[in-house]
Amino acid sequence: MKRQDVEVELRDRVLRGDLAPGDRLPEVQLAEELGTTRFAVRSALQALEARKLVERVPNAGVVVARLNYDRLQEIYDVLELLEGLAARLAAQKSRPVDWAELRELFAEGGPLDEAADDDDIDAFLAAIDRYRDTVIRLADQSFLTEMLAGVRDQSHALRRRILMTPGRMRESLTEHRSVIDALARGDAEGAEQLKRHNMQTARKRLHRYRDFLI
């Protein structure tokens, strides 16, 4: 397995929650498991460290990065502003037809209702990623795109854990439907405020279920 493939595999394991915060990532064991070299594993871990997904701990080596409540609050400070801005710009620059696929994906009675009922976090997160990718593309602002990319992995891992809290998927689905409706209407201010509200309710979940999430 090539270094880039090792990085993708380990990154996916962390983001899926297969590797929990604090889990050790021994080079020799991972190299044997993945059928690659220690150098490939070491290089992959360095890349994941740059993404803030893993960290080096004295006498323990490389471990999956532990969640820090203050750090998560800082991430939400940034995400609320950036994702709200992205929604505003996307609404200003898009046409109603640009939102047809998302409106179908998030439509009432569609697959996401089933995902919420079945606690299918992977399907739900895939839809949220589809929303984010569409908004970022239509916002068409390169610097904003770079800034959001810089916190994407950390925010993805955080979203997954918050979606595990009771009723959050259904709540988030309702919120995203409202955002998408505003985007399709070209309501820039409404889209921004609704997306910021979505981030604020997630932050409340983080506070309420702090002991479970961290």
Side-chain angles (χ1 to χ4, degrees), residues 8-164:
V8 170
E9 174 64 20
L10 295 178
R11 173 180 174 271
D12 287 347
R13 290 186 186 185
V14 173
L15 295 183
R16 286 196 307 264
D18 296 343
L19 293 169
D23 281 356
R24 296 184 63 188
L25 299 168
E27 292 180 7
V28 174
Q29 180 179 327
L30 287 172
E32 292 177 354
E33 178 186 345
L34 299 174
T36 189
T37 65
R38 288 186 65 181
F39 175 76
V41 172
R42 186 179 303 119
S43 298
L45 292 177
Q46 289 172 345
L48 295 182
E49 186 176 9
R51 291 173 176 263
K52 308 296 184 183
L53 293 180
V54 305
E55 58 188 2
R56 297 184 184 276
V57 177
N59 302 319
V62 179
V63 303
V64 177
R66 295 175 175 83
L67 299 176
N68 176 281
Y69 183 74
D70 291 336
R71 171 73 173 181
L72 296 180
Q73 291 285 358
E74 291 174 357
I75 291 174
Y76 263 116
D77 285 340
V78 173
L79 283 176
E80 181 184 331
L81 292 173
L82 295 185
E83 294 208 14
L85 175 60
R88 171 181 285 276
L89 293 174
Q92 291 173 341
K93 298 181 180 181
S94 63
R95 302 165 300 164
V97 69
D98 294 324
W99 304 102
E101 290 186 8
L102 273 188
R103 296 194 76 169
E104 181 178 358
L105 177 61
F106 282 82
E108 292 189 23
L112 293 184
D113 281 304
E114 183 176 352
D117 290 339
D118 295 341
D119 293 328
D120 188 344
I121 292 178
D122 288 329
F124 201 89
L125 275 173
I128 298 299
D129 283 343
R130 182 87 167 270
Y131 161 85
R132 293 182 75 243
D133 290 342
T134 301
V135 168
I136 291 170
R137 174 174 57 82
L138 293 173
D140 192 26
Q141 221 272 22
S142 60
F143 186 62
L144 176 61
T145 300
E146 293 170 6
M147 294 183 71
L148 283 169
V151 294
R152 178 157 192 160
D153 283 349
Q154 295 178 74
S155 64
H156 184 96
L158 180 55
R159 279 190 174 95
R160 171 178 286 276
R161 296 183 70 82
I162 288 178
L163 285 171
M164 294 169 63

